[in-house]
Each structure stands twice: as C-alpha cells, then as structure tokens.
C-alpha cells in the first residue's frame, strides 16, 4: 500500500472544490453544473427539498458515482472518477446512508477491523501494530460514546447507537474530510442532540472538516457555519445561517415544496 505523506499534499486553505459538476440519471439531471468550494476546518450544511440532489452530490464527491461533466479536487489533487476506496484512502470518509456494519461482530470488533484495514492488511502480530490498533479503537469508541457498548453485537444496538457506530467506522478511516448524509435521520431529540454535539466536537477539538446534509432546519441553523442550498440539482445560493434564513428564494423553495 502506498500512502502519500501528508507533507507532499499541497497545503491550501481549500479542502474540497467542485467545478461544473453534472450527473444525469436517464433524462433527469440530478446534479447540474455545481461549483462548490469548502474551506479546510469548515463545518457546513447542504440543504434542499427531497430529491434536490444532496445525496447525489455526496456520491459524486466521494467517488460512488462518476460525473458526466465537471471535476472534483480534494486536498489539491484531482480525484474525478477515482473509485470510492481510493478517495477514502486519501482522507475523505462518508458516513450514513451507507452501512458497512457487521451485525454479528461486536462494536469493538467492527471498529477494530476498520482500524486494521486502514493501518494495512498485512497485519503483524509480532510488532506494536496490534497494540496501536487497539489503542486507536478504544480512542474512537470513547470519542463516539460507545465504550460501554463495546462487547454488544452490532445487530443488537439501538438505532441511535448504530449511527454512532457508523460514525466510528468512518473515523477509523482517519479522514480529514467527513461527509455526513442526514446524520440525525430517524433519531429521537436526545439522540439528535448527542450526535450533533459529537459532530461539533470532531470539528472544534479534532480539526475535522465536516460537510453534512440535513432536513431538520433547527439542526442546520444551530450547527452549520455556512449553508448551501441545492434545488433540482442546481446550487442556488451559499451563505451564513442568517443570510440563508432571510433569503426569499429559500423561503419559497421550502414553503412551495418541490415546486
Ligand atoms: N441511482 C439513481 N438512479 C436514478 N435516479 C436517481 C438515482 N439516485 C438519485 N436519483 C434521482 O436524482 C434526484 C436527486 O436525488 P438525491 O440526490 O437522492 O436527492 P436528495 O438527497 O437531495 O433527496 C432524485 O430525483 C432521485 O430520484
Ligand atoms: Mg438524500
């Protein structure tokens, strides 16, 4: 496995940039000429009504879909058309709406195997690698408030704890950019509060850049420092929570539903 040393990656203030990103599904243009820039260290939201193209945008950025036109630059490197595992290896993780949980393994076993995959498949039991992987696993479990569930089979977790585990698996990939697609979907108020506190912590204390989609506007306005609105695949506007809240177009798109 070749790993690009951090020092050789161009240090710019922009971690993610798309130019003219476009994706068609048959006759439907799900992503339409989206040029978007995300600063390193940001915590931002992509919003838009159902079907606006939020998940498709994430799929294009993370390599799950290939764009029909346009480019994706991650950390100064063109990653357009690269497969998802290659983009993940470079430091972009996408959590939620993708489930890579093994139900019969415990929480600890799930996270540990993800850490081991990240640290290299040729696992050497005679080196410190095993200890380091276990330490990293425990660190992630503590961070995600899963330490007391470590021996529970993943299939027996509550919905909220399952989401925490998905986040833990994303963190095992040691990302610099974390994409969260509707992190609080299906959660109770208490679980939502806890999950978003964790997202804030990852951004503020661990320097992780975070881009998330969310349909709950109170979550968006309380946690995103900048918000971008997509509508029918197009980027309509980008601004601070106050700017977006005051914008007439936002009001009419949301009040008018899909219209
Ligand atoms: N794999 C796919 N095949 C065909 N159409 C798709 C596919 N994925 C998404 N779409 C369509 O693209 C549009 C955008 O979907 P999506 O990105 O999931 O929106 P959002 O996440 O904002 O709700 C929708 O009209 C959806 O039906
Ligand atoms: Mg979606």
């Amino acid at each position: 496995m070749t790993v690009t040393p951090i020092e050789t990656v161009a240090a710019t203030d922009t971690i993610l940039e798309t130019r003219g990103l476009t994706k068609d599904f048959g006759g439907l243009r799900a992503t339409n000429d989206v040029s978007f820039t995300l600063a390193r260290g940001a915590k931002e939201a992509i919003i838009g009504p159902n079907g606006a193209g939020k998940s498709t945008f994430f799929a294009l950025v993370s390599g799950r879909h290939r764009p029909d036109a346009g480019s994706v630059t991650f950390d100064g490197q063109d990653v357009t058309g690269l497969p998802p595992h290659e983009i993940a290896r470079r430091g972009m993780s996408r959590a939620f709406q993708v489930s890579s949980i093994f139900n019969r393994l415990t929480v600890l076993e799930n996270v540990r195997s993800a850490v081991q995959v990240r640290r290299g498949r040729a696992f050497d039991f005679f080196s410190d690698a095993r200890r380091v992987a276990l330490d990293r696993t425990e660190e992630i479990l503590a961070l995600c408030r899963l330490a007391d569930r470590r021996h529970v089979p993943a299939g027996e977790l509550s919905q909220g704890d399952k989401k925490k585990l998905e986040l833990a698996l994303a963190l095992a990939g040691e990302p610099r950019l974390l994409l969260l697609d509707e992190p609080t979907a299906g959660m109770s108020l208490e679980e939502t509060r806890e999950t978003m506190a964790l997202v804030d912590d990852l951004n503020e204390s661990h320097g992780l850049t975070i881009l998330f989609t969310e349909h709950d506007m109170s979550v968006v306005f309380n946690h995103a420092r900048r918000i971008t609105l997509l509508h029918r695949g197009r980027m309509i506007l980008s601004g601070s929570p106050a700017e977006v809240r005051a914008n007439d177009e936002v009001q009419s798109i949301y009040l008018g539903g899909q219209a």
Side-chain angles (χ1 to χ4, degrees):
M1 190 171 81
T2 55
V3 175
T4 312
I6 300 285
E7 311 77 70
T8 66
V9 173
T12 65
D13 287 328
T14 298
I15 193 161
L16 179 71
E17 185 171 25
T18 72
R19 283 277 159 260
L21 208 58
T22 299
K23 178 70 182 177
D24 293 329
F25 291 118
L28 176 85
R29 185 147 288 185
T31 304
N32 193 347
D33 195 25
V34 173
S35 295
F36 172 83
T37 301
L38 187 68
R40 196 181 301 280
K43 185 178 58 172
E44 299 194 6
I46 305 261
I47 64 167
N50 244 338
K54 304 177 297 294
S55 294
T56 303
F57 178 71
F58 275 16
L60 290 169
V61 164
S62 62
R64 208 165 55 85
H65 288 326
R66 244 172 203 280
D68 292 305
S71 65
V72 180
T73 305
F74 175 56
D75 235 347
Q77 297 182 325
D78 186 352
V79 298
T80 318
L82 291 183
H85 67 267
E86 180 57 31
I87 294 180
R89 192 186 63 75
R90 289 166 188 236
M92 190 193 307
S93 277
R94 178 169 178 268
F96 308 113
Q97 300 202 343
V98 277
S99 201
S100 44
I101 293 176
F102 294 103
N103 281 327
R104 291 162 73 178
L105 297 186
T106 66
V107 167
L108 183 130
E109 287 163 347
N110 267 281
V111 176
R112 192 184 54 197
S113 55
V115 168
Q116 287 173 353
V117 166
R118 174 64 184 187
R119 297 283 163 105
R121 279 165 218 279
F123 214 68
D124 181 1
F125 281 85
F126 300 101
S127 74
D128 287 340
R130 189 158 190 268
R131 170 61 24 216
V132 171
L134 267 175
D135 288 351
R136 178 63 187 150
T137 299
E138 288 296 344
E139 205 182 315
I140 291 171
L141 291 179
L143 195 60
C144 295
R145 285 77 158 163
L146 279 170
D148 62 343
R149 314 225 72 61
R150 63 158 69 71
H151 297 309
V152 176
E156 292 171 21
L157 292 176
S158 70
Q159 208 46 43
D161 283 341
K162 213 167 248 183
K163 291 277 188 179
K164 288 183 197 167
L165 178 54
E166 285 183 16
L167 193 49
L169 294 177
L171 293 178
E174 296 172 27
R176 272 163 289 150
L177 169 61
L178 189 59
L179 304 178
L180 302 173
D181 200 345
E182 302 200 6
T184 71
M187 286 189 177
S188 68
L189 267 177
E190 180 55 22
E191 287 169 339
T192 295
R193 199 196 55 71
E194 243 186 71
T195 302
M196 292 313 295
L198 175 56
V199 167
D200 289 347
D201 186 36
L202 290 172
N203 176 253
E204 283 147 33
S205 312
H206 300 267
L208 204 59
T209 308
I210 293 175
L211 183 63
F212 66 100
T213 73
E214 180 59 59
H215 64 269
D216 181 334
M217 284 304 123
S218 70
V219 170
V220 170
F221 287 117
N222 283 322
H223 296 274
R225 286 194 290 264
R226 199 176 68 124
I227 298 166
T228 295
L229 172 68
L230 289 184
H231 185 44
R232 294 177 168 167
R234 282 189 177 279
M235 197 174 125
I236 306 290
L237 67 98
S238 213
S240 68
E243 284 167 336
V244 169
R245 209 194 291 267
N247 188 280
D248 290 341
E249 219 164 344
V250 176
Q251 307 275 349
S252 72
I253 285 171
Y254 273 93
L255 294 176
Q258 306 279 348

